[in-house]
Amino acid sequence: MRDVFLSNCEKNFIQKIVSEGHVSKNENVYFYKVFVIYLIIFFFNIFQRLDGRNYNESRRLDISFGSEYGSCVVSLGETKVLAQVSCEVTQPKQIRPNEGILYINVEISPMAAPQFEANRQTDLTVYLNRLLEKCYKDSKCIDLESLCIVVEEKVWSLRVDIKILNHAGNLIECASIATLTSLAHFKRPDVTRSGDSVIIHTIAEKDPIPTVLYHYPVCVTFAIFGNDILLSDPSFTEESVCTSSTEEGINTAGGLLVIGMNQYKELCLLDLTGAALYNSNIVHKAIINAADRSKTIVDLVKKNIVSDDTSRQKRVKINFSDIITEDHLLSLSQKDLSIRLKTYNVDDMRTKHENMDEDEDIDVKPEPSKYDGNEVFFILLLAVARDFARVDYYLSILQELCIFPG
Amino acid sequence: MKVTIDDVVLPGDFCEDIIKAGEKSRVILGPGLRKELEKIFITKAGVLRKRAPNTYWVDSYQKRYVPARGENVIGVVIQKAGDSFRVDVGGSCSATLSYLSFEGATKKNRPEVQVGDVIYAKMLVASKDMEPELVCVDSNGKKGRLGVLNDGFVFKCSINLVRKILNPSCPLLNSLKNEWPFELAAGMNGRIWIKANSMRETIAVGNAILGCEYLTSEEIKSMCTNIASILAGHVS
C-alpha cells in the first residue's frame, strides 16, 4: 500500500475548523452577537465541520439487500461496503466439537481508493479483520451451538466476506454494520437427520433457518482531536488529520476511538489508535454517544430486515439494481458534498430550477426574524444569570423563535 | 463492436471513421484510443468525441490522474531527495521537481520549500516509461503563478470537474468572483487549492465548486447567488 500524503495546509485547515468551527451565522456581526454565538458554542457544541455536519452528527446510512440471503450493501455517506455470508458443512474444531465456525474475511481492492494494491494484505485489512472478529466472535453474539449438525462430525461454518467498494472514511463502522446486517439477514438451509445420513434441503423444499443472534453489536468510530474534542463518523481527511503526526514525529494528541456496543448499551469492544489519552472523560463521553448511535443503527438494521422479509414473502424481486440512482451520473453515488455549508442543500438547486419554468416567483423569501441579536443576547444573559442548568430551556425558546435553526 | 463519433463506447470497440480520416490526412488520437494492427481500438469507457479537423478522444468520468505534458498540476512535497524534491501529484508514481526549477534559484540560493507544502507546477516531462518531472518556472525563467501555495485548503475532485470549471464557457468562476474575493488554483490532476478571507468563505468556495459538477450553466448561476446569500446570512 502506498502512503497517503497529507499536505500541511489541509492539516492546518482541518485543525483550525475543529478547534474553532465555522458558525452558520453572519460573520459581520457586532460584538454582542459574537459573544452570544460563542456562549452557545461553549455550552452546546454547535460547531460545524468541513462537510457541514455537527460534531456528533453522522452521515446518512443506507442499507440495501441483494437477491440472496445474507448479501447487502451498506453505505455511510460515500463509504460503501458489500457483505456476503455463505455457509458450508465442515468438521468442527477439536476443542469445540459442538459449535459451528464463523469466519470473517475483509478485502480491500484498488476500487476502494487508489493507494491500495490488488491481492495484497495491508495493515488496514488485518486491523479491520481483527476488529470485526473481536466484535462478532469474542462478544458471542451468534449462537454457534445451533450451527451444529452432528457432534464432532458436521457443523455449519459461516463465512462473512466483506468487500470495500469505496473508502471515504470510517470504514470500521460501515464494515461492522455490513457484517451485522448480512449475518442477521442470512438464512441457512434446513437439515434433517435420519440415522447416519444427513439431508440438506434446498430452499424450495423447506424454509431456510435464520441465524440466531443474541444481541446486535456495532462498532462506532470517533475521531479525537487535541484530547478533548470528539467527532463522530469522521471523514477520510478528518481521520488522516487526527492520526497524523507533526514534523518532529509527535502526534498532536489525536486518535481514533472505536467503541463496539450492542442495543442494550453493553460495551463489547474498545480500541484506540493514535496518541495515548490522558483525559478519561472523553472516553466516557464517547461511550454515552455510542450508546445512542448503536441503538439507532440496530433499530434501522432490524427495520430494514423486517421490511425486506415482508417484501420477499410477497415475492417482490429484490436485488442491488434498486440502489442505482437515475438522477446521478454515477451509480451508488449520493449527493453529499465533502465540503459544504450547513444550510446548503443540493436538492434545492435542482427543484428550484425545475419549478422556475412553471412559476416564476416560486422561491419565497424567509421572513426576517423579528428578534435581532440584541434580544437574543438578553434572553441568554437572563438565562445565564438565573440558572445555568436551565440554559437548555431558554435555548429551546430561542429555537422556537427561529433564530437558531437546528 | 463498430462505433461512430458521439457513441457511448466500451473498451475493445473499434472505429473505422478515424481510419478513413487517417488515410486522407494526419489524425491525433487522444486519451482512450489506441492504434493496434491497422485498427483504432477504444481503451476506456465513455463517449467518443471529435474536434474538427482531426482530433479524437474518449470523454470519460475519471478520478485517477495520468500525467500529461504541459498541464498545470497541484502536488504535495513528500521528500527532499538530494538536489530535487519528490512531489505526489496523484499519478502512479511521484514526480520530481528540481531545486533549480524555481525563479531565481541557484546552487547557493535554494528555494524555501518544506515537506508537506503544496506546489502549483507545470508538467515538463510525462512519458510512460519515465518518472514525470515538474517545473515551477515558464520558458522565460519567470515564475508566473506557479510556486508554493501557502495557507488555504486543498481538496480532491474528479478530473472532469476541473476541466469543467476551467472551461471558458462555464459561468462558475465568473459569477463567484463577483460575490466575494478568493484565490483559486485548479490542478489538472483533480486537486483544487482555495483560499479566501475567512474559513467560512473558503468552505463556501469549495461548496460551490463541488456542487456545480452535475449542474447546467443556468443552475450554476442560481447556485452561486444562493451560496452568496447563505454566506451573507440572508438565508438561514
Side-chain angles (χ1 to χ4, degrees):
Chain A
M1 183 181 146
R2 288 187 296 142
D3 288 335
V4 187
F5 298 101
L6 197 67
S7 61
N8 291 341
C9 68
E10 274 174 281
K11 213 184 282 179
N12 294 338
F13 196 80
I14 298 278
Q15 265 163 0
K16 210 170 146 195
I17 263 193
V18 168
S19 57
E20 291 171 24
H22 64 112
V23 189
S24 66
K25 273 275 125 188
N26 193 348
E27 293 205 336
N28 187 14
V29 287
Y30 306 108
F31 168 72
Y32 58 84
K33 268 195 184 169
V34 175
F35 183 66
V36 167
I37 289 166
Y38 275 96
L39 252 185
I40 291 174
I41 285 164
F42 189 73
F43 286 111
F44 306 104
N45 258 342
I46 57 161
F47 272 168
Q48 282 161 30
R49 301 201 238 160
L50 189 62
D51 46 8
R53 284 184 284 158
N54 292 342
Y55 278 3
N56 53 3
E57 197 177 332
S58 293
R59 290 171 288 180
R60 204 173 71 194
L61 175 65
D62 268 327
I63 299 170
S64 40
F65 296 100
S67 55
E68 298 247 324
Y69 283 120
S71 75
C72 67
V73 168
V74 172
S75 64
L76 190 67
E78 289 292 321
T79 303
K80 286 176 188 75
V81 172
L82 170 75
Q84 169 76 55
V85 181
S86 52
C87 64
E88 59 175 357
V89 179
T90 52
Q91 208 173 7
K93 286 177 186 161
Q94 289 285 312
I95 39 165
R96 301 201 186 281
N98 61 342
E99 283 187 7
I101 302 167
L102 175 70
Y103 284 117
I104 294 177
N105 178 40
V106 179
E107 260 178 66
I108 309 182
S109 65
M111 194 188 352
Q115 70 262 27
F116 299 111
E117 284 168 48
N119 302 324
R120 190 170 301 179
Q121 282 235 327
T122 62
D123 289 350
L124 185 67
T125 326
V126 177
Y127 172 68
L128 257 177
N129 218 331
R130 183 71 202 114
L131 215 59
L132 291 176
E133 277 190 357
K134 258 194 221 167
C135 189
Y136 292 96
K137 266 171 117 167
D138 300 358
S139 74
K140 298 197 168 62
C141 64
I142 294 175
D143 183 12
L144 290 176
E145 283 178 17
S146 70
L147 297 176
C148 178
I149 304 168
V150 183
V151 177
E152 286 185 348
E153 277 177 26
K154 287 188 176 72
V155 290
W156 285 112
S157 107
L158 298 186
R159 182 190 166 92
V160 190
D161 280 296
I162 310 280
K163 184 119 187 153
I164 311 293
L165 301 179
N166 193 25
H167 181 14
N170 205 358
L171 271 188
I172 302 159
E173 190 169 330
C174 197
S176 95
I177 297 169
T179 315
L180 179 74
T181 316
S182 57
L183 277 174
H185 186 248
F186 181 67
K187 287 180 182 173
R188 63 174 193 276
D190 201 357
V191 166
T192 43
R193 283 174 59 188
S194 56
D196 280 351
S197 66
V198 173
I199 305 161
I200 299 172
H201 298 283
T202 58
I203 292 179
E205 283 168 16
K206 257 186 176 182
D207 279 347
I209 309 166
T211 337
V212 181
L213 284 172
Y214 293 127
H215 59 101
Y216 289 68
V218 274
C219 299
V220 183
T221 319
F222 294 93
I224 300 171
F225 279 84
N227 243 314
D228 54 353
I229 296 171
L230 210 60
L231 302 186
S232 52
D233 189 12
S235 68
F236 185 73
T237 10
E238 281 164 348
E239 262 180 8
S240 37
V241 170
C242 85
T243 49
S244 70
S245 47
T246 53
E247 277 167 53
E248 296 85 43
I250 307 161
N251 193 302
T252 48
L256 281 177
L257 180 66
V258 182
I259 295 176
M261 203 172 246
N262 64 14
Q263 80 267 43
Y264 309 118
K265 302 186 180 179
E266 289 164 342
L267 204 59
C268 303
L269 168 126
L270 205 59
D271 184 272
L272 177 74
T273 44
L277 278 178
Y278 54 77
N279 186 353
S280 61
N281 283 341
I282 201 151
V283 179
H284 192 74
K285 203 172 136 195
I287 288 173
I288 291 170
N289 284 350
D292 289 342
R293 173 81 179 141
S294 55
K295 182 90 176 65
T296 48
I297 291 173
V298 172
D299 285 347
L300 185 79
V301 168
K302 281 183 175 170
K303 203 186 93 195
N304 269 298
I305 289 175
V306 168
S307 67
D308 176 74
D309 236 24
T310 47
S311 48
R312 260 173 222 271
Q313 271 166 12
K314 287 176 196 156
R315 298 189 185 275
V316 180
K317 278 240 161 66
I318 295 170
N319 45 36
F320 286 136
S321 65
D322 303 339
I323 41 179
I324 298 173
T325 48
E326 286 174 351
D327 56 345
H328 207 277
L329 213 70
L330 296 173
S331 60
L332 295 173
S333 199
Q334 294 176 354
K335 284 181 251 163
D336 296 335
L337 303 180
S338 58
I339 303 176
R340 189 172 68 95
L341 293 166
K342 189 177 184 185
T343 38
Y344 176 78
N345 191 349
V346 189
D347 293 330
D348 274 4
M349 299 325 310
R350 286 287 169 88
T351 45
K352 204 167 151 190
H353 186 71
E354 281 159 15
N355 287 343
M356 248 184 249
D357 302 335
E358 302 152 20
D359 196 346
E360 279 289 299
D361 41 12
I362 189 107
D363 47 341
V364 184
K365 276 190 184 153
E367 219 169 277
S369 174
K370 289 177 284 188
Y371 301 87
D372 62 353
N374 225 335
E375 270 153 279
V376 177
F377 177 61
F378 284 123
I379 294 178
L380 254 175
L381 249 197
L382 206 72
V384 174
R386 283 178 64 168
D387 196 352
F388 263 120
R390 296 189 62 198
V391 177
D392 231 344
Y393 166 64
Y394 288 103
L395 198 82
S396 68
I397 300 182
L398 287 181
Q399 262 175 4
E400 273 173 34
L401 297 177
C402 306
I403 297 163
F404 296 105
Chain B
M1 207 180 93
K2 207 171 94 177
V3 291
T4 50
I5 310 297
D6 286 334
D7 272 355
V8 173
V9 293
L10 289 172
D13 290 346
F14 56 92
C15 184
E16 285 177 356
D17 297 4
I18 304 178
I19 295 282
K20 273 178 205 153
E23 284 164 2
K24 289 173 205 148
S25 63
R26 286 170 73 93
V27 290
I28 299 169
L29 298 183
L33 294 173
R34 189 186 170 112
K35 188 175 174 241
E36 199 87 36
L37 298 173
E38 301 304 312
K39 261 185 181 177
I40 306 284
F41 282 105
I42 313 282
T43 57
K44 262 188 198 173
V47 181
L48 184 62
R49 301 269 189 213
K50 179 194 178 180
R51 182 169 183 168
N54 60 356
T55 313
Y56 299 87
W57 76 98
V58 178
D59 207 2
S60 64
Y61 181 89
Q62 177 168 341
K63 281 181 172 170
R64 211 154 296 200
Y65 178 62
V66 180
R69 190 168 181 264
E71 285 183 339
N72 286 345
V73 294
I74 289 178
V76 182
V77 178
I78 55 176
Q79 199 184 19
K80 289 181 182 177
D83 53 0
S84 65
F85 301 107
R86 323 215 97 251
V87 182
D88 170 46
V89 290
S92 59
C93 65
S94 57
T96 54
L97 172 64
S98 167
Y99 273 114
L100 298 174
S101 56
F102 285 85
E103 187 184 281
T106 56
K107 283 266 179 192
K108 289 248 175 76
N109 183 19
R110 294 195 156 184
E112 282 217 6
V113 179
Q114 308 301 325
V115 171
D117 275 353
V118 176
I119 279 188
Y120 188 50
K122 202 180 235 350
M123 270 293 168
L124 183 71
V125 176
S127 68
K128 58 181 177 183
D129 306 313
M130 270 167 63
E131 216 170 34
E133 192 182 336
L134 300 169
V135 280
C136 276
V137 284
D138 60 13
S139 49
N140 300 323
K142 290 277 176 280
K143 70 175 181 193
R145 293 187 176 86
L146 305 172
V148 179
L149 303 170
N150 291 313
D151 300 333
F153 182 62
V154 174
F155 61 92
K156 288 176 188 151
C157 62
S158 74
I159 288 169
N160 302 52
L161 180 58
V162 179
R163 291 201 200 111
K164 178 171 182 175
I165 63 167
L166 290 180
N167 191 338
S169 65
C170 174
L172 177 80
L173 295 180
N174 272 327
S175 31
L176 271 188
K177 76 180 180 196
N178 299 330
E179 305 285 359
W180 69 91
F182 61 89
E183 286 177 74
L184 181 141
M188 291 303 287
N189 56 343
R191 291 185 193 180
I192 298 179
W193 173 84
I194 46 176
K195 182 183 175 183
N197 286 333
S198 71
M199 215 150 55
R200 200 168 146 71
E201 285 179 7
T202 313
I203 290 171
V205 177
N207 186 344
I209 292 171
L210 288 178
C212 83
E213 185 153 16
Y214 304 114
L215 299 182
T216 61
S217 299
E218 286 306 309
E219 286 169 335
I220 290 174
K221 279 179 194 157
S222 75
M223 179 195 69
C224 289
T225 46
N226 183 18
I227 287 181
S229 59
I230 291 174
L231 205 60
H234 297 320
V235 184
S236 58

